[in-house]
């Protein structure tokens, strides 16, 4: 029997397959696209190509598209799945997970290997992956380039708007004024880091162990900036974008 | 009729109460009876009903068409309850406001106060000055005199006399009505609960609109009896060996967001065992002193204790909140506040602190009457319930 975890996020869908011993034997990330059900179908076909047939796996779906996976055995929220997946990845039991997702940013407190508390940002996209993406596009940069360029900033400026729409026009006027791209990039990253710091608020006490999951797991500059702001070493893992899918696959192992 | 069928038929009657009440009001109005509209738990129903008038609730709980209409005159970033209430009166989509001969408001939160000022141009209004400090030593005198003024205003406007005798009788009737609600909350103490939170909510809302007080008393009494009997026979809403996670819901403006919150909580398998807030247990449990020789004083004394976040500082609410956690063996608290409701939003933080002290899981959901955030609200609630279930079932 195999165990499939599908994390259907607003931007990307992540797929993990585990074997009986909970070892990851397959992983894949793909754009979610606009039709979740079609994406789910293409995952099924992809798994078949890998020789993993529907009768031979249990499946848990998570993420905002979790109920749009017609063949899942169970849907579990991304909070529970990220928590479980992060414990697996980092081999820890008491820590705080920050997940910067496409649509929302979550902070999850893990105690004794279980979710103890969490919060998610409200309606708007400030402090999420979407914010970074839009700002990078406005600057004509890729996401990673934006992060790395921030390092070169000499004049530390701030973007004061929290709202993505207003922040975008702020960035446009900065560009218009001839502000260095690196400085704008820096301000964009700082704005995310500050927002996440605010959200961390009461959940993570000072100096607690913090781990980053989600699509920014391979953005070293973000991790550094976050460590500085939180005054603790934030760690991530290249597989951390799969944390939700890993958690989902682990939950699948419990399905009879 | 079997017990189950009878229980169901009472529940159906409650469900339809609001619909039927508009016809009732129309009839009352045609007969020349007086209908008084109010918005809030601070409206002294005893005084209104002692005069032989009907009291209806005008709080708006719908988005369309009331909120967009209200936004043509009120700021968009205002509490949806205020916008919806105002919009329904402006657009004449609230039959109760339409048939009201007078509307009573209290100086609660700023948004409501200012909305009342605008309402004065649309309807006959009487605004009662509510103190913001719930400390009796400092506020009782002024509050009591405001209630006297209100009584005199009713007497004068409608040419009636409200006697102490009448007041005392209505106090008794309303104490009884509150005790039905309190007893209903008691059913939530059972494990599994003998009523669902959705059922409780329906009953609470319905009771405001059951204007025939005799019928209301009979049905409430019978409903409580039946709920307990059915539970004893193992025919309650949960199987006897089912032990759903037990949620205390706190907040204000809930009736406008039922589908996104209350209904979702129970649909996901948790049980709302009690409510905290102005319609919650604490307000229902506290009767008015029937032996007080001065009925207005007795009414004032009780109403100053309504556990509403417009009061400052609100120590009484927090103390009561602690007790409820304990008494109802709550597994988790969900505080629901609507956008732009500063009083409840800010006090939610104090509730969270109390929960943290008691190692009690806590979730704050901020939402609105407008559609669009159902998915996000659901995910938060679902994750919270998964967390509680994992904790409870190991
Ligand atoms: S929450 Fe406060 S202001 Fe609102 S109805 Fe209840 S008592 Fe009145
Ligand atoms: S929900 Fe809050 S802001 Fe709205 S009327 Fe009630 S107390 Fe005022």
């Amino acid at each position: 029997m195999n165990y499939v975890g599908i994390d259907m996020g607003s931007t990307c869908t992540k797929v993990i397959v585990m074997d009986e011993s909970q070892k990851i034997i397959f992983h894949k990330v793909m754009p979610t696209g606009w039709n979740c059900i079609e994406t789910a179908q293409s995952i099924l076909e992809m798994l078949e190509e890998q020789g993993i047939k529907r009768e031979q796996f249990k499946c848990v779906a998570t993420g905002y598209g979790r109920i749009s996976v017609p063949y899942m055995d169970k849907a579990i929220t991304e909070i529970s799945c990220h928590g479980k997946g992060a414990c697996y990845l980092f081999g820890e039991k008491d820590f705080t997970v920050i997940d910067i997702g496409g649509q929302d940013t979550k902070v999850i407190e893990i105690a004794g290997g279980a979710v103890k508390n969490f919060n998610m940002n409200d309606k708007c996209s400030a402090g999420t992956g979407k914010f970074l993406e839009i700002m990078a596009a406005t600057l004509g940069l890729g996401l990673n380039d934006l992060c790395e360029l921030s390092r070169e900033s000499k004049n530390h400026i701030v973007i004061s708007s929290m709202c993505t729409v207003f922040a975008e026009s702020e960035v446009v006027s900065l560009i218009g004024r001839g502000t260095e791209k690196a400085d704008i990039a820096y301000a964009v990253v700082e704005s995310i880091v500050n927002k996440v710091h605010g959200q961390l608020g009461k959940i993570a006490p000072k100096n607690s162990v913090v781990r980053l999951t989600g699509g920014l797991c391979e953005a070293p500059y973000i991790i550094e900036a976050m460590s500085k702001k939180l005054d603790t070493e934030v760690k991530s893992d290249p597989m951390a974008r799969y944390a939700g899918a890993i958690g989902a696959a682990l939950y699948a192992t419990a399905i009879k | 009729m079997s017990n189950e069928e009878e229980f169901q038929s009472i529940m159906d009657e409650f469900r339809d109460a609001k619909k039927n009440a508009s016809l009732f009001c129309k009839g009352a109005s045609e007969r020349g009876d007086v209908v008084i509209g109010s918005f809030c738990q601070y409206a002294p129903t005893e005084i209104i009903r002692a005069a032989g008038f009907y009291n209806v609730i005008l709080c708006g709980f719908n988005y369309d068409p009331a909120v967009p209409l209200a936004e043509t005159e009120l700021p968009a970033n205002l509490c949806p309850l205020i916008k919806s209430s105002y919009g329904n009166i402006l657009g004449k989509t609230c039959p109760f406001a339409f048939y009201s001969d007078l509307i009573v408001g209290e100086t609660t939160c700023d948004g409501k106060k200012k909305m009342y000022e605008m309402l004065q141009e649309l309807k006959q209004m009487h605004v009662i000055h509510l103190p913001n400090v719930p400390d009796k030593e400092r506020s009782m005198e002024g509050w009591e005199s405001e209630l006297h003024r209100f009584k005199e205003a009713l007497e004068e406007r409608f040419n009636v006399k409200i006697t102490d005798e009448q007041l005392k009788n209505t106090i008794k009737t309303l104490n009884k009505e509150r005790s039905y609600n309190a007893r209903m909350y008691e059913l939530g103490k059972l494990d599994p609960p003998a009523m669902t939170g959705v059922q409780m909510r329906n009953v609470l809302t319905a009771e405001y609109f059951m204007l025939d007080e005799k019928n209301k008393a009979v049905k409430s009494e019978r409903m409580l009896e039946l709920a307990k009997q059915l539970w004893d026979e193992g025919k309650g809403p949960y199987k006897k060996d089912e032990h759903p996670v037990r949620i205390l819901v706190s907040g204000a403006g809930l009736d406008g967001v039922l589908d996104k919150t209350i209904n979702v909580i129970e649909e996901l398998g948790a049980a709302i065992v009690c409510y905290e807030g102005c319609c919650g247990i604490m307000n229902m449990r506290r009767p008015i002193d029937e032996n007080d020789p001065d009925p207005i004083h007795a009414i004032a004394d009780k109403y100053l204790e309504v556990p509403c976040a417009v009061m400052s500082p609100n120590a009484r609410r927090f103390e009561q909140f602690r007790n409820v956690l304990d008494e109802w063996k709550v597994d988790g608290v969900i505080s629901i506040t609507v956008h732009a409701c500063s009083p409840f939003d800010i006090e939610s933080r104090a509730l969270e602190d109390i929960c943290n002290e008691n190692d009690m899981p806590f979730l704050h959901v901020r939402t609105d009457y407008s559609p669009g955030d159902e998915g996000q609200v659901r995910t938060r609630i679902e994750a919270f319930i998964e967390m509680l279930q994992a904790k409870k079932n190991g």
Side-chain angles (χ1 to χ4, degrees):
Chain A
M1 186 60 72
N2 287 316
Y3 304 98
V4 175
I6 300 176
D7 177 3
M8 200 170 270
S10 60
T11 316
C12 291
T13 295
K14 286 76 64 178
V15 183
I16 284 285
V17 183
M18 284 183 177
D19 66 8
E20 298 272 351
S21 65
Q22 302 193 344
K23 208 174 106 231
I24 297 173
I25 55 171
F26 176 81
H27 59 92
K28 174 98 184 160
V29 54
M30 60 181 80
T32 298
W34 59 273
N35 186 331
C36 295
I37 300 185
E38 268 174 28
T39 312
Q41 197 49 41
S42 68
I43 293 171
L44 199 58
E45 284 157 21
M46 179 184 76
L47 291 175
E48 288 219 356
E49 274 167 36
Q50 301 290 321
I52 304 166
K53 299 219 164 49
R54 181 62 194 98
E55 314 79 68
Q56 294 157 6
F57 69 78
K58 298 281 184 209
C59 173
V60 167
T62 186
Y64 105 110
R66 63 187 177 281
I67 43 167
S68 306
V69 180
Y71 49 85
M72 50 104 174
D73 296 299
K74 203 171 174 193
I76 299 179
T77 63
E78 46 273 41
I79 299 286
S80 301
C81 288
H82 265 274
K84 207 171 190 66
C87 290
Y88 174 99
L89 266 180
F90 300 109
E92 285 161 317
K93 281 188 145 53
D94 299 282
F95 61 110
T96 302
V97 182
I98 299 174
D99 174 69
I100 302 185
Q103 177 176 260
D104 45 39
T105 294
K106 313 175 247 301
V107 174
I108 310 169
E109 180 187 358
I110 311 276
V115 176
K116 179 155 183 250
N117 197 357
F118 66 89
N119 68 33
M120 291 166 94
N121 65 322
D122 282 322
K123 246 180 179 175
C124 86
S125 60
T128 67
K130 189 104 246 133
F131 176 82
L132 264 190
E133 228 175 76
I134 291 173
M135 295 309 138
T138 311
L139 288 169
L141 294 169
L143 236 164
N144 285 332
D145 305 331
L146 175 130
C147 295
E148 285 312 306
L149 189 64
S150 317
R151 281 185 203 283
E152 290 165 27
S153 162
K154 296 201 181 59
N155 298 304
H156 290 178
I157 55 168
V158 287
I159 296 178
S160 47
S161 306
M162 271 296 181
C163 160
T164 307
V165 179
F166 292 133
E168 192 181 2
S169 41
E170 217 176 314
V171 166
V172 170
S173 61
L174 284 171
I175 297 173
R177 253 184 272 153
T179 312
E180 285 291 328
K181 248 189 194 182
D183 293 340
I184 304 177
Y186 171 87
V188 167
V189 171
E190 273 309 285
S191 141
I192 286 260
V193 168
N194 283 332
K195 179 89 208 238
V196 171
H197 178 240
Q199 208 182 316
L200 215 59
K202 280 200 188 169
I203 291 204
K206 224 170 147 27
N207 299 326
S208 65
V209 181
V210 178
R211 301 291 175 253
L212 178 74
T213 64
L216 297 174
C217 61
E218 284 184 287
Y221 181 72
I222 295 260
I223 298 172
E224 274 169 45
M226 201 94 80
S227 302
K228 213 162 115 200
K229 181 85 199 172
L230 305 182
D231 200 15
T232 177
E233 191 194 357
V234 178
K235 284 191 196 150
S236 194
D237 185 290
M239 284 297 280
R241 64 166 52 81
Y242 291 99
I246 292 172
L250 289 169
Y251 275 117
T253 62
I255 294 175
K256 276 168 223 88
Chain B
M1 205 174 357
S2 73
N3 282 350
E4 278 156 297
E5 284 163 357
E6 192 185 349
F7 182 74
Q8 195 48 52
S9 84
I10 297 179
M11 286 315 233
D12 290 346
E13 185 175 344
F14 282 144
R15 189 198 55 212
D16 297 335
K18 193 167 179 178
K19 226 174 22 210
N20 297 333
S22 47
L23 278 178
F24 190 100
C25 278
K26 182 167 182 277
S29 176
E30 283 163 3
R31 283 193 303 274
D33 290 345
V34 175
V35 178
I36 309 276
S38 66
F39 291 95
C40 165
Q41 284 292 328
Y42 286 110
T45 315
E46 283 76 8
I47 302 179
I48 297 170
R49 281 172 52 182
F53 302 163
Y54 293 108
N55 184 191
V56 287
I57 302 294
L58 307 181
C59 290
F61 296 126
N62 55 322
Y63 177 76
D64 259 333
V67 173
L69 179 64
E71 284 176 0
T72 61
E73 296 193 3
L74 292 167
N77 61 346
L78 184 68
C79 149
L81 192 150
I82 301 175
K83 285 189 288 190
S84 176
S85 305
Y86 183 75
N88 278 324
I89 297 174
L90 187 64
K92 300 200 168 50
T93 40
C94 171
F96 304 109
F98 184 80
Y99 292 117
S100 290
D101 299 292
L102 177 77
I103 294 180
V104 197
E106 300 76 23
T107 52
T108 52
C109 59
D110 289 351
K112 265 199 182 148
K113 274 188 273 202
K114 292 292 148 186
M115 185 266 274
Y116 294 151
E117 290 171 14
M118 293 172 64
L119 259 193
Q120 250 149 18
E121 287 169 25
L122 300 173
K123 292 292 288 185
Q124 297 292 324
M125 286 285 303
H126 179 102
V127 177
I128 303 179
H129 174 145
L130 175 74
N132 282 157
V133 178
D135 177 332
K136 294 196 176 148
E137 234 168 75
R138 290 169 68 185
S139 301
M140 195 51 187
E141 226 182 274
W143 174 230
E144 211 182 311
S145 81
E146 278 295 308
L147 295 188
H148 277 291
R149 266 176 105 101
F150 175 58
K151 176 181 145 241
E152 285 149 22
L154 287 183
E155 291 177 326
E156 198 172 313
R157 186 187 290 261
F158 298 104
N159 198 19
V160 290
K161 183 89 195 102
I162 303 172
T163 64
D164 279 6
E165 216 32 54
Q166 286 166 319
L167 282 168
K168 284 182 183 168
N169 285 336
T170 335
I171 287 176
K172 284 204 189 100
T173 312
L174 271 132
N175 272 348
K176 191 98 207 196
E177 289 182 8
R178 282 191 200 94
S179 82
Y180 294 133
N181 291 335
R183 280 166 60 200
M184 177 176 74
Y185 284 132
E186 292 290 318
L187 294 173
K189 276 191 184 165
L190 299 168
D191 187 21
M195 267 177 86
T196 67
V198 171
Q199 287 173 330
M200 291 184 191
R201 200 79 218 166
N202 286 342
V203 173
L204 280 172
T205 316
E207 291 198 334
Y208 289 120
F209 294 100
M210 298 200 47
L211 298 172
D212 174 347
E213 64 182 48
K214 294 219 171 57
N215 182 40
K216 169 150 85 172
V218 172
K219 294 295 158 56
S220 302
E221 186 71 56
R222 187 71 186 133
M223 183 225 34
L224 291 167
E225 233 171 69
L226 286 168
K228 183 64 186 18
Q229 259 178 38
L230 288 171
W231 187 85
D232 287 336
E233 294 163 16
K235 292 181 193 149
Y238 303 95
K239 292 199 196 76
K240 273 271 157 149
D241 56 353
E242 242 181 307
H243 300 289
V245 292
R246 304 167 63 80
I247 307 280
L248 171 69
V249 166
S250 158
L254 301 186
D255 286 292
V257 295
L258 291 181
D259 287 341
K260 290 190 224 182
T261 59
I262 307 301
N263 295 353
V264 168
I265 293 170
E266 295 210 323
E267 191 188 308
L268 292 168
I272 299 169
V273 294
C274 196
Y275 291 88
E276 190 275 341
C278 74
C279 313
I281 175 65
M282 288 310 173
N283 200 33
M284 301 307 172
R285 227 187 213 178
R286 154 78 157 97
I288 297 180
D289 183 358
E290 296 177 4
N291 300 317
D292 192 325
D294 178 353
I296 295 284
H297 177 268
I299 294 169
D301 193 61
K302 187 241 151 37
Y303 277 81
L304 206 53
E305 286 185 18
V306 170
C308 171
V310 298
M311 287 296 166
S312 170
N314 212 0
R316 201 178 285 120
R317 177 180 182 209
F318 303 137
E319 191 189 302
Q320 295 175 341
F321 176 79
R322 271 177 223 274
N323 296 339
V324 177
L325 296 183
D326 223 46
E327 275 187 62
W328 267 263
K329 305 262 173 301
V330 170
D331 293 314
V333 173
I334 302 185
S335 162
I336 303 167
T337 63
V338 290
H339 284 152
C341 171
S342 311
F344 279 90
D345 196 332
I346 297 174
E347 277 200 2
S348 193
R349 166 96 192 213
L351 300 183
E352 181 172 10
D353 286 340
I354 295 173
C355 284
N356 286 345
E357 273 167 40
N358 290 285
D359 218 5
M360 172 67 61
F362 178 89
L363 177 72
H364 184 182
V365 175
R366 290 185 183 87
T367 181
D368 207 336
Y369 290 9
S370 60
D373 65 348
E374 292 86 358
Q376 277 137 315
V377 169
R378 190 186 179 93
T379 297
R380 283 166 175 73
I381 293 175
E382 194 171 348
F384 187 68
I385 293 173
E386 283 172 2
M387 181 180 108
L388 297 182
Q389 283 167 341
K391 196 171 159 196
K392 190 157 181 160
N393 310 322

